[in-house]
Amino acid sequence: MILQTSLPYDVHALRPLPGIAPLDPADWLLVDEVHAAQMAERERLMTERREEVIALDPGAMPAALELLDTVLEHLPPGHVREGDAVRRPDGVSVRLDRDDPMATLGRLVQEDLCIMERHGEEHVLTGAVLCFPSAWRLHDKFMRRLVAIHAPVAPYDENIARRVQRLFDGIQPGRPLWRFNALWYHDPALFQASKAFKELRKEREAEAPFMRSERQCLLRLPKTRAVVFSIHIYVLARASVPELTALGQD
């Protein structure tokens, strides 16, 4: 099990959907107490299950390369640029492979990273490195519209869909946004792609021993105008989240 023991935000302070707040760009990417273990798991998944965790539309390559450059400009403390490589806080050196930007990104930071580009009236998921999905499969959502991506989320009605699309349209470069969720889980595994698991989680969440929380950030890439959706996963044992009894916001 790879478990954190604390969160960098107050999980009791859930806000109504979409629950967005401004974010200091310096706080976008984080390194936490399980960095080494999560990065090792990311490497395993990208090596053994690449087709399940990495996707990139050829037309999204400019956005992926811009995202790679943006991450390199915002590397969190402990990362050291060494020519065409970056040494992570765990001592691993990552070669900067611009021919494979999503895998390179997956090896650089703990966050999963999704690229959303506007096609017509809505944003579409055109690229991602998604090693730690929370009850959804990347290839079920790849190249699908924003509203289709959120379709299984019960509170995500037509009104919320319009608000989220307006949010995506309004994000400005240099002014990222963030939100978080928190849900009870039975399995602490980081890779959770099963839809059946999501239904089981809802039916028996009162018995679940683990809390899973996503720190989600949104930022605009200035050149390609793509929106980046990043996800930092926290999994805590119930005992590490005192006085917490009512969660359930996606």
Side-chain angles (χ1 to χ4, degrees), residues 194-229:
S194 170
K195 291 182 179 179
F197 171 82
K198 189 168 186 176
E199 295 307 311
L200 175 65
R201 183 198 71 202
K202 288 184 176 180
E203 291 174 3
R204 298 173 50 200
E205 64 182 20
E207 307 168 16
F210 303 101
M211 189 204 73
R212 185 179 176 108
S213 181
E214 297 178 326
R215 180 183 184 264
Q216 304 170 349
C217 301
L218 292 166
L219 72 156
R220 172 85 65 190
L221 299 177
K223 295 179 182 178
T224 60
R225 302 293 295 174
V227 174
V228 177
F229 178 59

Side-chain angles (χ1 to χ4, degrees), residues 73-220:
E73 293 171 1
H74 291 83
L75 287 171
H79 291 74
V80 179
R81 183 75 179 263
E82 298 174 333
D84 291 331
V86 170
R87 180 164 45 84
R88 298 191 317 230
D90 58 359
V92 173
S93 181
V94 178
R95 184 175 69 87
L96 301 179
D97 183 356
R98 298 184 68 84
D99 292 327
D100 193 6
M102 301 314 296
T104 301
L105 286 161
R107 293 184 170 97
L108 281 176
V109 293
Q110 278 181 263
E111 283 77 8
D112 281 328
L113 297 160
C114 300
I115 297 171
M116 306 291 297
E117 295 184 277
R118 186 165 182 126
H119 288 189
E121 296 300 313
E122 286 193 272
H123 282 76
V124 171
L125 177 63
T126 59
V129 52
L130 185 76
C131 293
F132 304 153
S134 297
W136 62 285
R137 290 185 288 264
L138 173 58
H139 284 278
D140 288 344
K141 310 296 185 181
F142 182 55
M143 298 304 295
R144 296 190 69 187
R145 298 176 301 127
L146 188 60
V147 66
I149 290 172
H150 287 91
V153 179
Y156 198 90
D157 58 19
E158 185 176 343
N159 178 54
I160 294 292
R162 286 195 300 266
R163 289 168 59 192
V164 172
Q165 183 57 56
R166 287 198 300 268
L167 174 70
F168 270 60
D169 290 339
I171 295 171
Q172 298 301 314
R175 298 173 62 184
L177 303 168
W178 82 288
R179 69 180 298 272
F180 70 89
N181 63 19
L183 292 162
W184 291 114
Y185 273 62
H186 292 267
D187 186 346
L190 290 164
F191 182 84
Q192 298 276 7
S194 170
K195 291 182 179 179
F197 171 82
K198 189 168 186 176
E199 295 307 311
L200 175 65
R201 183 198 71 202
K202 288 184 176 180
E203 291 174 3
R204 298 173 50 200
E205 64 182 20
E207 307 168 16
F210 303 101
M211 189 204 73
R212 185 179 176 108
S213 181
E214 297 178 326
R215 180 183 184 264
Q216 304 170 349
C217 301
L218 292 166
L219 72 156
R220 172 85 65 190

